[in-house]
Amino acid sequence: MKFTIDRYQKILIFIIAAYCAFVGFVNPAFFSITTVFDIIRTSSTSLIFAIGLLVVMISGGIDVSFMAIALFGSYTTINIMIAYGIDNLAFAVGLSIIFGAVLGLINASLINWLKLPPFIITLGTQNLFHGIMTTFVSDKSFGAGVLPPCLNQFGRATLFQIQTGSGTIGLSASILPVVFVALATWGLINFTMIGRGIVAVGNDEESARRIGFSPARIRYYVYVWSGILAGLTGIVYVAQINALYPNKLIGGELPIVAAVVIGGAKITGGDGKVFGAILGVLLIYLLNSTLILIGLSSSWNDLFIGSVLVASIATSSYQERIRNRKNLIFTD
Amino acid sequence: MEPILNVKNITKAFSGVRVLKNVSLTVNRGEIHCLVGENGCGKSTLVKCVSGVYTPDEGEIVLNGQRFTKLTTQQAIQNGVQVIYQDMSLFRHMSVAENIAIEKIRAKGARLINWKDVAGIAAEQTRKINVKIDLEKEIFECPIAIRQLTAICRALAHDAKILVMDEPTTALTKNEVSQLLTIVQELKSQGMSIIFISHKLDEVFSVADVITVIRNGEKIGDYNRAEINEKRLSELMTGREIDYPRYRRDFTENTPLLEVKGLSRKGHFNDISFTLRKGDIVGMIGLLGSGRSEIAMSLFGLNPIDSGEIFVSGEKVSIAAPQDAKRRGIALLPEDRFREGLFTDLKIKENVSSTVIDEISPRGCLDFSEEDRLAEKCIETFKVRAPSRETVVRSLSGGNQQKIVIGKWVETKPNIFIMDSPTVGIDIGSKAEIYEQIHNFAKNGMAFLLISDEVEEILANCNRVLILEKGRIKTILEAQDLRQPDAKKLILEEIGSRDLQPDTEPSTK
Ligand SMILES: Nc1ncnc2c1ncn2[C@@H]1O[C@H](COP(=O)(O)OP(=O)(O)OP(=O)(O)O)[C@@H](O)[C@H]1O
Ligand SMILES: [Mg+2]
């Protein structure tokens, strides 16, 4: 399987490019390397979330607990680090990932066991995970001073720096986990049997079972992977804002779901591309962060994202209809 | 003779209804074993027990001498069981190539996918059965015949010991069928055992060594092919004698209801002209690629035409969308019931009422008792085997699903009814009943365009036949031609295919 850019992705790229041109026309300050670096930095956490969610959606499921998992993982991990005076980034990432994996495992187990729609289950576990955290771990906020310094170092680290008119700016190191996660997930989906099993189950669970895949097992992989990515993102997030709150992130699930759908993932499962999800997130971020540049108040946000969402669903279903019509060609 | 599969006293019930009752079956190495029986008698259920999809409530399965009471799909695959499922069981958003190769690669225990292997396996299999398929296309873009070929290729890709084919030929035309049956014979001579299910008795008789008859979930018996004929077999299956009534049109009024002049679409069909009068049942027959389904789609507004004219009751019309067709009293029974004919997750009654939802919703409110009545009527007329009108269509047997499709389109009471392969997968007994219904409607003035691949079906129903080849009308046969004793042979010759002959060599055992 080669990396290909399909028609739908081309449309997205075109929209992004056209919108950028428009913003740049209204406000030439937009065309700067600073903007690019800014978008990369601020969208990095959303990108990882979206890629994790994409895998779940390809498998025919949905997850609205990833924010709670990210918060649980990072908050608990950092509390432990503060309590024991640990200052090690690898430890932070490792432990948070383990928490994420365990919570993902719980999600999958519940879905397999209760046989209820994943939306209901993860809506429940979202509250459950958060509740367990605030009740049994802590519900205090921590400022920059008490956090392990390694986090802030990572949050401010840059891969390289560029001299611009208004000072030096650098490309945030947060792009590293994004690139890693994107490549790993792309490889997982396209080149491993587990990945093809995920696609198979998303297409038709019964048919997947008939050729020997175990849908229950596949769901473990899927939710554990999305849990791991959430755990990782939690740390990246805290490192970026350089503070630890027990109630951040939660409530921000829907824009990510929207981004993945805009990126071309089928809500019914079985189809979705990593690159598409990335484009979806970028588009939403672009809309989010440029409204002020074109002189609109941020209350336009929802309106914009809503319209893009509706338009993208309409486009993809229209394309499917066109393709179905073409099917009438019985001989090629 | 060495048994490779032994099914012992299997019983299986769905929510309390027993669909297999104490069924036993022995399949020997290198044997072609046919399963026949009416729609809903339990053939597919039996197959799914053998492949581990269902766990029988009682009884056991002995595969290669190994006993299983809880066979899993993986164990079945490891023991060389391969199934072409009736619903084909393909993955919509995967390419044809991957659909063909994935099971084989998975069964080898590969953890990684090598896409060159995938392409290689797919190319090899399509070459083996001698068909050309675009391997890169995703399944949902492929017509149903291609999907069926894909499912066949997937099963053949394995070095199976037991190959189960659950109605593998429903979407294929004569030439692919005889190609397939030749392959089946070849596989048999290599020592593979084959369980073959079909409602087309000519296919059964051309390949079977042993025929097992199932009725109502019970096994009636095993018969050697030599000791039984089609007539006796249909009696065993249905418990009565089956006779297809012939249709005679007796209308004196000859003004056309539908007139088609010079219909063309590049790459699909060319210069198609014909008329349908009141009470006409016009047959359309031709091989894969003859353009017959495409014409049907065009008349229903699903396949825009390049040129040509369509007249309905003498008035020139343009049919750009199904709504236009429906408004003119045209109905289409599509070939692909899964994609275009049925809502498989809805109940029987919801499916039946779906085509007439406006008519039975006075003031925008669905009349539930009317919906129930329509559903009951459909179940009654077409003898649908289902627990109740509330049953979800997905859990019906393949043939009974097809009956629902017919029932729901009949409800629209069209003037012109285009039926594309209406009786695929329907048992011989129910066919007779469906034909009778068609004749009744025709006698009341409905006009039919009947696309079919079965010459018997054409002969029993049609008073005129269009034979298509490569998108053109090659021959037109009128009622008097069809009444000739050698009509069947003539049609087969004209469409350019050979009839299935029972192979006369003594079967080697
Ligand atoms: N999953 C299921 N849930 C409930 N009932 C089922 C299920 N599968 C099959 N049945 C019922 O079991 C009976 C036997 O079905 P089966 O599919 O085995 O018939 P069949 O012999 O293959 O018929 P056909 O020739 O129409 O394919 C039918 O009455 C069907 O409604
Ligand atoms: Mg069946």
Side-chain angles (χ1 to χ4, degrees):
Chain A
M1 177 152 306
K2 286 179 304 250
F3 175 76
T4 49
I5 296 179
D6 62 32
R7 249 185 96 124
Y8 183 74
Q9 292 170 356
K10 280 182 195 147
I11 296 178
L12 280 181
I13 293 174
F14 174 78
I15 293 176
I16 291 175
Y19 182 74
C20 285
F22 169 68
V23 176
F25 175 74
V26 176
N27 188 340
F30 175 71
F31 282 128
S32 72
I33 197 77
T34 319
T35 319
V36 177
F37 282 8
D38 240 26
I39 289 179
I40 290 176
R41 193 182 111 88
T42 48
S43 67
S44 52
T45 48
S46 295
L47 283 170
I48 309 181
F49 279 134
I51 292 169
L53 178 64
L54 173 76
V55 176
V56 176
M57 287 187 65
I58 291 178
S59 81
I62 185 83
D63 183 0
V64 289
S65 70
F66 55 87
M67 290 287 185
I69 295 180
L71 183 62
F72 187 108
S74 55
Y75 188 84
T76 313
T77 301
I78 294 168
N79 263 282
I80 292 174
M81 290 170 75
I82 294 172
Y84 292 90
I86 304 168
D87 181 21
N88 179 320
L89 187 64
F91 178 86
V93 170
L95 189 60
S96 184
I97 279 180
I98 291 174
F99 280 125
V102 171
L103 299 187
L105 199 67
I106 292 174
N107 271 339
S109 311
L110 287 174
I111 292 167
N112 284 338
W113 175 49
L114 294 174
K115 302 207 173 7
L116 285 173
F119 178 73
I120 310 282
I121 303 247
T122 54
L123 198 61
T125 54
Q126 175 196 353
N127 292 302
L128 181 72
F129 297 157
H130 191 212
I132 290 176
M133 190 193 93
T134 49
T135 317
F136 295 107
V137 183
S138 161
D139 58 358
K140 285 201 277 292
S141 303
F142 298 85
V146 285
L147 292 188
C150 66
L151 292 173
N152 188 272
Q153 269 164 30
F154 174 71
R156 283 186 310 145
T158 53
L159 295 184
F160 56 84
Q161 300 197 324
I162 289 177
Q163 200 68 40
T164 63
S166 51
T168 56
I169 50 137
L171 178 61
S172 165
S174 306
I175 196 179
L176 286 181
V178 176
V179 170
F180 173 76
V181 162
L183 287 178
T185 305
W186 184 67
L188 172 77
I189 297 292
N190 290 304
F191 295 99
T192 70
M193 194 43 85
I194 292 174
R196 298 326 284 169
I198 294 171
V199 178
V201 169
N203 269 290
D204 188 343
E205 201 172 313
E206 171 74 17
S207 301
R209 196 194 324 270
R210 287 181 192 170
I211 65 168
F213 285 114
S214 156
R217 192 123 121 239
I218 295 281
R219 266 193 287 277
Y220 282 115
Y221 293 127
V222 164
Y223 286 92
V224 167
W225 182 244
S226 106
I228 287 175
L229 297 194
L232 169 66
T233 324
I235 296 294
V236 176
Y237 178 78
V238 175
Q240 284 188 356
I241 64 167
N242 196 24
L244 188 63
Y245 304 105
N247 53 6
K248 282 276 159 156
L249 290 170
I250 292 196
E253 294 86 3
L254 286 186
I256 307 285
V257 176
V260 176
V261 173
I262 289 172
K266 289 261 156 18
I267 303 170
T268 44
D271 197 19
K273 307 274 173 353
V274 173
F275 185 57
I278 292 174
L279 291 177
V281 172
L282 289 182
L283 183 56
I284 285 199
Y285 258 82
L286 208 58
L287 293 178
N288 266 340
S289 58
T290 53
L291 289 177
I292 295 171
L293 287 182
I294 59 174
L296 292 174
S297 75
S298 61
S299 55
W300 284 75
N301 246 346
D302 291 346
L303 176 70
F304 265 50
I305 292 170
S307 332
V308 174
L309 188 63
V310 171
S312 78
I313 293 174
T315 320
S316 72
S317 85
Y318 178 73
Q319 277 193 331
E320 176 140 347
R321 272 208 351 243
I322 296 284
R323 290 223 276 204
N324 275 343
R325 281 196 190 175
K326 282 202 201 133
N327 292 347
L328 307 177
I329 307 164
F330 283 67
T331 49
D332 245 338
Chain B
M1 278 198 300
E2 198 187 335
I4 185 162
L5 168 71
N6 237 320
V7 175
K8 286 188 184 159
N9 306 89
I10 275 190
T11 297
K12 175 78 193 168
F14 291 109
S15 41
V17 184
R18 292 205 296 165
V19 299
L20 285 179
K21 302 164 196 159
N22 210 12
V23 173
S24 300
L25 184 76
T26 305
V27 179
N28 293 313
R29 203 174 294 276
E31 172 179 274
I32 301 181
H33 200 118
C34 287
L35 288 184
V36 298
E38 291 179 302
N39 293 131
C41 72
K43 303 178 295 296
S44 300
T45 307
L46 177 58
V47 161
K48 286 178 191 162
C49 289
V50 171
S51 69
V53 172
Y54 292 154
T55 310
D57 303 331
E58 285 164 39
E60 59 180 26
I61 290 166
V62 184
L63 262 176
N64 299 315
Q66 230 180 312
R67 303 155 67 98
F68 295 95
T69 45
K70 279 206 172 74
L71 183 71
T72 65
T73 48
Q74 295 216 28
Q75 285 168 333
I77 294 170
Q78 275 157 16
N79 276 284
V81 178
Q82 268 303 305
V83 185
I84 300 168
Y85 289 98
Q86 191 170 9
D87 58 15
M88 298 182 220
S89 216
L90 299 172
F91 301 105
R92 279 168 58 76
H93 293 290
M94 286 186 182
S95 67
V96 169
E98 187 176 6
N99 268 286
I100 292 175
I102 186 165
E103 182 174 2
K104 176 169 185 168
I105 296 179
R106 212 207 82 82
K108 276 195 308 205
R111 287 172 190 282
L112 297 179
I113 291 260
N114 179 343
W115 291 95
K116 280 211 189 83
D117 284 355
V118 172
I121 292 173
E124 184 192 330
Q125 294 312 315
T126 46
R127 206 169 325 116
K128 205 193 273 174
I129 68 166
N130 197 11
V131 289
K132 281 210 176 59
I133 307 179
D134 182 350
L135 296 174
E136 290 300 312
K137 266 207 175 141
E138 288 184 10
I139 284 297
F140 81 99
E141 301 176 273
C142 295
I144 186 159
I146 300 294
R147 287 189 240 165
Q148 196 152 53
L149 292 170
T150 306
I152 292 170
C153 287
R154 170 165 83 186
L156 294 180
H158 271 262
D159 307 314
K161 294 199 184 78
I162 303 172
L163 176 61
V164 186
M165 310 173 98
D166 193 352
E167 301 191 35
T169 59
T170 45
L172 304 182
T173 64
K174 283 268 182 307
N175 278 7
E176 295 89 43
V177 172
S178 57
Q179 182 94 34
L180 182 68
L181 297 186
T182 317
I183 292 169
V184 167
Q185 297 281 11
E186 247 171 61
L187 294 173
K188 166 190 161 181
S189 65
Q190 294 162 13
M192 196 189 286
S193 310
I194 289 143
I195 298 177
F196 187 90
I197 300 177
S198 177
H199 290 292
K200 300 183 196 164
L201 295 187
D202 55 343
E203 292 175 9
V204 169
F205 274 94
S206 89
V207 292
D209 294 315
V210 182
I211 302 172
T212 293
V213 180
I214 299 176
R215 196 200 299 169
N216 242 331
E218 287 172 79
K219 180 161 116 173
I220 302 294
D222 300 313
Y223 305 88
N224 276 321
R225 187 190 60 204
E227 65 177 352
I228 198 168
N229 58 20
E230 279 197 32
K231 187 152 170 276
R232 176 88 186 104
L233 191 60
S234 19
E235 261 178 48
L236 285 168
M237 284 161 61
T238 60
R240 64 202 161 94
E241 220 174 289
I242 301 294
D243 196 21
Y244 293 153
R246 280 242 178 168
Y247 177 69
R248 261 191 114 89
R249 175 179 188 267
D250 38 30
F251 276 92
T252 42
E253 191 191 324
N254 280 338
T255 46
L257 272 182
L258 174 77
E259 195 170 6
V260 174
K261 281 188 189 159
L263 221 55
S264 297
R265 172 165 181 163
K266 203 157 174 283
H268 288 198
F269 46 82
N270 205 330
D271 197 18
I272 301 293
S273 304
F274 63 88
T275 55
L276 285 183
R277 302 162 302 178
K278 238 183 174 174
D280 260 340
I281 307 182
V282 172
M284 207 148 69
I285 190 166
L287 297 176
L288 203 65
S290 63
R292 44 184 217 177
S293 296
E294 289 85 341
I295 294 172
M297 294 289 192
S298 290
L299 292 177
F300 197 62
L302 284 167
N303 188 23
I305 51 173
D306 296 337
S307 61
E309 296 174 316
I310 301 172
F311 299 85
V312 175
S313 309
E315 187 191 338
K316 185 171 169 191
V317 297
S318 101
I319 298 177
Q323 294 87 302
D324 298 338
K326 252 178 105 177
R327 210 174 38 237
R328 309 278 175 198
I330 302 177
L332 170 73
L333 178 76
E335 180 188 29
D336 180 353
R337 63 172 176 266
F338 288 107
R339 194 173 56 205
E340 283 148 33
L342 279 180
F343 305 104
T344 47
D345 287 322
L346 295 186
K347 296 171 182 174
I348 290 180
K349 61 174 190 187
E350 290 159 340
N351 270 284
V352 174
S353 66
S354 64
T355 47
V356 287
I357 201 89
D358 290 339
E359 285 95 282
I360 63 168
S361 306
R363 292 182 299 280
C365 228
L366 181 62
D367 179 348
F368 289 104
S369 60
E370 181 64 9
E371 181 179 51
D372 289 348
R373 199 186 60 76
L374 292 180
E376 283 306 326
K377 196 174 88 189
C378 167
I379 291 174
E380 167 85 24
T381 338
F382 296 107
K383 307 229 162 29
V384 178
R385 190 183 297 236
S388 85
R389 57 177 184 257
E390 310 281 336
T391 308
V392 173
V393 164
R394 185 182 292 283
S395 78
L396 294 182
S397 82
N400 285 308
Q401 293 183 359
Q402 180 72 0
K403 292 179 191 172
I404 302 290
V405 184
I406 301 182
K408 75 176 226 187
W409 282 108
V410 163
E411 273 319 314
T412 61
K413 304 202 179 59
N415 302 324
I416 300 161
F417 201 159
I418 307 167
M419 298 182 136
D420 194 348
S421 318
T423 62
V424 288
I426 285 191
D427 70 56
I428 48 174
S430 310
K431 260 186 201 165
E433 279 142 23
I434 289 174
Y435 295 165
E436 218 177 283
Q437 296 294 332
I438 293 180
H439 297 182
N440 281 339
F441 285 121
K443 283 186 181 129
N444 288 322
M446 209 187 273
F448 286 85
L449 184 62
L450 176 69
I451 300 176
S452 175
D453 196 46
E454 284 178 73
V455 182
E456 280 80 13
E457 182 157 296
I458 294 278
L459 287 176
N461 293 295
C462 300
N463 61 326
R464 191 182 322 129
V465 176
L466 314 176
I467 296 174
L468 272 77
E469 191 180 82
K470 298 196 182 110
R472 284 177 181 280
I473 296 179
K474 184 184 176 200
T475 320
I476 298 179
L477 299 177
E478 296 294 341
Q480 60 270 25
D481 306 321
L482 297 171
R483 277 196 290 275
Q484 302 302 322
D486 62 344
K488 181 174 177 188
K489 206 168 132 255
L490 180 68
I491 294 179
L492 283 171
E493 272 170 25
E494 283 293 318
I495 59 177
S497 82
R498 48 208 161 93
D499 197 9
L500 302 173
Q501 294 296 334
D503 67 333
T504 38
E505 320 147 33
S507 43
T508 43
K509 285 231 179 109

